[in-house]
Amino acid sequence: MKKKSRFLVFVLCALMFAFVVERTDFSSPVRSADTSKGWKLMVVNSEYRVPKNYELEFVTLSCGEKVEKRIYPDLQEMFDDALSEGIDLVVRSGYRSEEEQKQLLIKKIGELRNEGFSDNKARTEALRWVSMPGTSEHQLGFAIDINAENGTKEERAYKWLSDNAHKYGFILRYPSDKTDITGIAYEPWHFRYVGKSHAKEIYNQGLCLEEYVETL
Ligand SMILES: [Zn+2]
């Protein structure tokens, strides 16, 4: 092939890849989440997606992130109490739309490809960290990623949260010893609201949400 046509083929391939990734239907063919146990116990994971047109109402936090209205009072109380103990917390990531989730996944796949992963491996690896659009709890607004702020050490913040979050209705959603069930790597910053009574049970019994819901 001539140099010029080789270059053209290369450009065409690159364009096609960009087009395919952008147009890829990342919405997984999974079942709609079971809403029969109420919103607090709705399990959204790689097998159960956020029901289409599920009605949610949001509150915008001072940091600019949004959370579902119903989790806000307990979230605020938790942050206030942490601060009174010298631990400054901030919501780094709250509600995410399906489209935002898709962009996040595309970005992660791109980063991994740049690191030398093949297309397939990049996709598999990315999904260990970024949920398939439709299957992220962030799309419910009941889950938050929490960061330490203003000099608070991250380890101290995560320790406080893992010891106390359940008192405010939040659970560490992806514990290190449940990755085979949740399918998600350990995330000390990701908390899901389930309400105080369920959170206390889940904490005391040492279960993850999937296991707890099965016991009911
Ligand atoms: Zn998260």
Side-chain angles (χ1 to χ4, degrees):
M1 225 187 298
K2 277 188 190 139
K3 239 186 184 173
K4 204 174 167 188
S5 40
R6 239 186 289 159
F7 177 71
L8 259 174
V9 168
F10 172 78
V11 169
L12 267 172
C13 284
L15 277 173
M16 262 171 68
F17 175 77
F19 181 75
V20 166
V21 167
E22 185 56 35
R23 297 294 295 260
T24 300
D25 183 13
F26 283 111
S27 57
S28 43
V30 294
R31 279 169 288 182
S32 196
D34 177 9
T35 56
S36 68
K37 294 187 174 93
W39 64 275
K40 289 175 184 166
L41 295 180
M42 194 200 307
V43 175
V44 166
N45 58 22
S46 59
E47 285 172 40
Y48 294 94
R49 56 159 294 128
V50 175
K52 296 254 184 211
N53 307 318
Y54 192 70
E55 271 193 40
L56 297 161
E57 256 187 89
F58 300 104
V59 172
T60 304
L61 307 173
S62 53
C63 62
E65 289 296 312
K66 282 190 226 165
V67 295
E68 221 281 339
K69 204 176 141 190
R70 289 168 283 186
I71 82 166
Y72 175 69
D74 286 336
L75 176 65
Q76 189 57 55
E77 194 191 352
M78 177 164 81
F79 278 28
D80 288 346
D81 287 357
L83 193 58
S84 72
E85 292 179 39
I87 292 160
D88 203 347
L89 304 173
V90 68
V91 172
R92 188 180 60 88
S93 190
Y95 168 73
R96 244 180 256 146
S97 69
E98 189 152 342
E99 182 55 33
E100 284 168 326
Q101 187 68 24
K102 181 180 168 184
Q103 293 309 323
L104 209 63
L105 184 59
I106 289 173
K107 189 168 159 243
K108 187 76 185 170
I109 293 173
E111 282 167 11
L112 291 165
R113 285 185 77 250
N114 289 341
E115 282 174 30
F117 282 81
S118 69
D119 289 357
N120 267 343
K121 285 235 172 82
R123 194 181 152 102
T124 312
E125 182 63 16
L127 284 170
R128 289 185 64 230
W129 298 96
V130 182
S131 299
M132 192 73 91
T135 70
S136 167
E137 276 189 339
H138 284 280
Q139 208 176 309
L140 283 172
F142 305 147
I144 41 169
D145 292 339
I146 303 175
N147 264 17
E149 258 213 323
N150 297 324
T152 297
K153 288 248 180 350
E154 232 157 53
E155 301 76 52
R156 204 171 154 235
Y158 294 153
K159 172 85 175 75
W160 189 91
L161 283 165
S162 77
D163 292 343
N164 296 287
H166 63 283
K167 298 172 192 163
Y168 304 88
F170 289 87
I171 56 163
L172 176 70
R173 181 67 176 90
Y174 306 117
S176 54
D177 58 343
K178 304 287 181 187
T179 56
D180 53 334
I181 302 169
T182 62
I184 305 273
Y186 171 51
E187 291 190 353
W189 53 83
H190 182 110
F191 285 80
R192 156 75 193 263
Y193 188 81
V194 292
K196 287 176 185 170
S197 58
H198 296 307
K200 222 161 145 193
E201 279 304 311
I202 289 169
Y203 179 84
N204 289 336
Q205 295 182 44
L207 303 174
C208 65
L209 186 57
E210 281 84 354
E211 290 174 309
Y212 178 68
V213 168
E214 281 294 305
T215 68
L216 299 177

